Amino acid sequence: MAVPSAKAQVDSCDMPLATALGEVAGIEEDGVCSWKGIPYAAPPVGGTALAGPMPHPGWEELRDASKF
């Protein structure tokens, strides 16, 4: 399974960053931009609990990635 990645020039930590799954909003801490808690796979629920990772379906709204 390929892990979606984002290649971007970041002008500001406050600006949304576009990824293959949707936009994320990060945070600046001590002069460093970070994006936390971005899922790389769908949650393992129901019949998929013991299966391998499945691709995350993505999201429509801006995702808060300022905390885990």
Side-chain angles (χ1 to χ4, degrees):
M1 177 175 89
V3 176
S5 64
K7 292 182 180 179
Q9 178 76 27
V10 178
D11 295 325
S12 170
C13 300
D14 298 335
M15 294 182 66
L17 179 67
T19 73
L21 299 176
E23 289 188 329
V24 293
I27 188 170
E28 183 176 344
E29 299 172 302
D30 299 324
V32 177
C33 296
S34 64
W35 294 267
K36 303 172 183 177
I38 300 172
Y40 65 91
V45 294
T48 65
L50 299 177
M54 300 297 292
H56 195 282
W59 49 88
E60 296 289 324
E61 303 291 323
L62 179 64
R63 187 178 185 97
D64 179 12
S66 63
K67 56 187 172 216
F68 290 109

